[in-house]
Amino acid sequence: MPIRRTLRVVRRQWRIGVRHGLRLSAPARRAWRRSLHLRVVTLTLVTSSLLVGGFGWFIADRSTQILLDRAEDEVQAQMQGKVEYAYQQLSVHRQVRDQELPATISATVDRLADGDSTESGGAIVSLRADTIPDIKPDSSITVETEPLITRDMVRLVADSEQVAQQIRTLEVAGTRTKYLVYGSPVPTSFGHVELYYLVPLTTEDRAANQIRTTVLVTGLALVILLGIVAWLVTRMVVTPVRVAARTAQRLSAGLLDQRMKVDGEDDLALLAASFNQMAANLQRQIVRLEEMSRLQRRFTSDVSHELRTPLTTVRMAADLIFSEREEFDPAVARSAELLQAELDRFESLLTDLLEISRFDAGFAALDAEHTDLVPIVERVAERLAGLAERVGVSIELRLPDTPVIAEVDPRRIERVLRNLVGNAVEHGEGRPVEVTLATDEAAVAVTVRDHGVGLKPGEERLVFNRFWRADPSRARQTGGTGLGLSIAQRIVRDHDGYIEVTSEPGNGTTFTVSLPLRLPAGAGADPPSLSAGPPP
């Protein structure tokens, strides 16, 4: 249990830390996503830093190695002469107990140190015989050499009689100094001794540090220069793109006279000129289309109004004929009935066209007032009860017991609901149609659901198109015009609401109308939940 509790605490703290980090880094991530300039300069700096850093490290490492190799060659050449000299001086003694041997060793060390050209640099010469206990070690400088001459090196030189070298660091007079240590056996008549030559690498270290400093400064300057160049070049490219984006935004906002400034004759100038030409062509096309649309709306309105007078005359004559159809022959009576039905359809189409023309012209003003929507829904269901009975569909109302007051145009909202419920009845396939009304503090929602064949995938985006039908060959009961849903969408939008449709093939279609309780407050509010049925 303690382990589980600890793991939970760790996971919780980790999630808190991640969220805190994401919150703190949000401005930087937002700037990274939105700024091409920042991304290009940052990537240039990172890439150039890696390349210059790698190249600088290689140069500094190779330079240091070259200096060290040169120092080793010099020390090795000097070491050979020192070994020969020590051999000549110590070979005159035949045995270890020779009383002159310590003096000879001391003189040899002094002579080797005096003849060393690197003495001013603090070189140390040491003679010792680890295999001969009677010979005491002697050094040219009184300093502790144990940290420089390690036991491993002594074993190689004394026991294995090999030439060895190593690099060690020793603190002398408060200064840490790096030494190149060479050790070589010196054969004598009484055995062999070890000659150690310790050369400080102060000059080489100083030169290597200067090289590293120079490479570092040069690399930083080069990275900064590359960053500045990337910033300038990117600015030259990004600035016209930003200008083009701002100009495009102004064009999309309706400012069709906006143009880019053309400077020079390069590719960016060609881009600006091409953009301006495109904007001019779009302006001409938009103006032409607006004029055509205006003429089309005016034509539709004029034709609809002009058709109203002859339609009224034809309607009066058709009503007279229809009222006397029982006195006609059966064929003539049937023709009178067909004439009456088609006139009804034509009049409905003409009414919808007039309504659409008013919406397109911007003259369809709302006559909004505070209205109880419950009686409107009941009235729509009552008026469509005859149609529902003929097609064998029942209309089920789920309404609240209290009034639902909203600021709407009651005539137009009733038309929207009549269209939606009529379509649901027509496509209900004999199954019940459910009409649900619900409300909350900001909005009211009405859903109309049928259980018919539903819509095919992708047809939800087409149902509000003018004159669109899911099945044009379908026998229609109500003689719809194909404009009802388009008009309904415009009416709902004018109320600052929205209408949406969801459907699944074989499971029916659901239309949801959401309207704010007050105009314009609450526009766009989410519809209240309808899953729990009507409110109590």
Side-chain angles (χ1 to χ4, degrees), residues 255-275:
L255 303 177
L256 301 179
D257 58 342
Q258 295 295 310
R259 298 293 184 270
M260 291 181 62
K261 184 179 180 181
V262 181
D263 292 326
E265 300 178 356
D266 54 7
D267 294 337
L268 295 177
L270 179 60
L271 171 63
S274 301
F275 185 90

Side-chain angles (χ1 to χ4, degrees), residues 41-200:
V41 173
T42 303
L43 292 176
T44 301
L45 288 176
V46 172
T47 305
S48 60
S49 298
L50 293 176
L51 292 177
V52 172
F55 183 73
W57 175 85
F58 176 76
I59 293 297
D61 182 71
R62 291 304 304 163
S63 301
T64 303
Q65 189 63 40
I66 290 173
L67 292 174
L68 181 60
D69 292 342
R70 187 178 67 178
E72 290 178 352
D73 292 341
E74 293 179 358
V75 172
Q76 188 175 7
Q78 294 176 11
M79 189 66 179
Q80 292 177 357
K82 295 179 186 298
V83 170
E84 292 177 2
Y85 180 80
Y87 171 74
Q88 293 173 2
Q89 297 298 318
L90 298 177
S91 294
V92 298
H93 300 282
R94 298 298 179 181
Q95 43 184 308
V96 177
R97 299 185 181 277
D98 192 340
Q99 296 180 355
E100 300 295 331
L101 181 59
T104 301
I105 291 176
S106 179
T108 300
V109 169
D110 293 339
R111 179 69 182 85
L112 291 176
D114 290 341
D116 185 15
S117 59
T118 63
E119 184 182 3
S120 58
I124 302 174
V125 177
S126 178
L127 269 174
R128 55 195 296 175
D130 285 83
T131 58
I132 305 175
D134 295 335
I135 298 178
K136 295 182 179 180
D138 194 355
S139 299
S140 60
I141 298 178
T142 304
V143 66
E144 181 63 36
T145 60
E146 289 299 329
L148 298 177
I149 305 173
T150 62
R151 297 305 305 170
D152 293 337
M153 188 175 188
V154 170
R155 281 194 294 268
L156 287 174
V157 178
D159 299 339
S160 303
E161 299 184 7
Q162 298 179 6
V163 178
Q165 73 176 62
Q166 65 180 9
I167 296 177
R168 302 287 292 176
T169 300
L170 178 65
E171 186 172 346
V172 180
T175 303
R176 293 182 62 84
T177 305
K178 186 184 295 184
Y179 282 87
L180 175 61
V181 182
Y182 258 87
S184 175
V186 179
T188 63
S189 300
F190 52 83
H192 70 272
V193 296
E194 301 90 47
L195 174 64
Y196 294 97
Y197 188 34
L198 299 83
V199 180

Side-chain angles (χ1 to χ4, degrees), residues 31-44:
W32 175 266
R33 291 194 304 269
R34 295 181 178 180
S35 177
L36 176 62
H37 201 175
L38 176 63
R39 291 200 300 272
V40 172
V41 173
T42 303
L43 292 176
T44 301

Side-chain angles (χ1 to χ4, degrees), residues 339-494:
L339 176 61
Q340 186 74 7
E342 291 303 318
L343 277 175
D344 291 339
R345 179 176 171 79
F346 183 72
E347 187 173 13
S348 176
L349 175 60
L350 185 59
T351 302
D352 288 345
L353 286 174
L354 287 173
E355 187 78 7
I356 284 288
S357 65
R358 283 194 293 269
F359 278 120
D360 291 340
F363 296 144
L366 293 179
D367 187 11
E369 59 185 39
H370 293 283
T371 306
D372 185 4
L373 297 182
V374 175
I376 294 179
V377 175
E378 293 175 343
R379 189 163 54 249
V380 169
E382 182 180 354
R383 291 182 178 179
L384 292 173
L387 173 64
E389 184 178 356
R390 287 197 304 270
V391 298
V393 172
S394 62
I395 301 177
E396 300 178 358
L397 300 182
R398 300 179 179 179
L399 306 176
D401 297 332
T402 58
V404 179
I405 307 299
E407 189 177 0
V408 297
D409 186 335
R411 182 181 63 85
R412 287 194 166 94
I413 293 301
E414 182 176 349
R415 176 171 185 172
V416 171
L417 298 179
R418 187 167 62 248
N419 180 271
L420 296 179
V421 177
N423 288 342
V425 169
E426 180 184 352
H427 297 87
E429 301 293 332
R431 300 184 182 93
V433 172
E434 301 168 1
V435 181
T436 306
L437 174 64
T439 184
D440 59 11
E441 295 80 4
V444 58
V446 182
T447 62
V448 179
R449 172 176 173 78
D450 66 68
H451 299 274
V453 295
L455 297 173
K456 298 178 182 178
E459 290 185 344
E460 296 89 344
R461 298 187 298 270
L462 303 175
V463 294
F464 298 106
N465 293 345
R466 297 178 182 180
F467 300 108
W468 184 86
R469 293 180 182 175
D471 187 4
S473 62
R474 178 183 176 90
R476 305 184 60 87
Q477 302 292 334
T478 60
T481 63
L483 295 173
L485 288 178
S486 178
I487 295 174
Q489 186 183 47
R490 288 296 301 269
I491 293 174
V492 173
R493 285 182 178 177
D494 286 348

Side-chain angles (χ1 to χ4, degrees), residues 12-28:
R12 188 184 306 111
Q13 294 298 325
W14 170 258
R15 288 194 294 267
I16 293 174
V18 169
R19 287 197 297 268
H20 188 64
L22 291 176
R23 185 167 56 254
L24 292 178
S25 62

Side-chain angles (χ1 to χ4, degrees), residues 497-513:
Y498 64 87
I499 180 173
E500 62 182 0
V501 56
T502 58
S503 182
E504 184 178 351
N507 290 329
T509 304
T510 302
F511 283 87
T512 302
V513 177

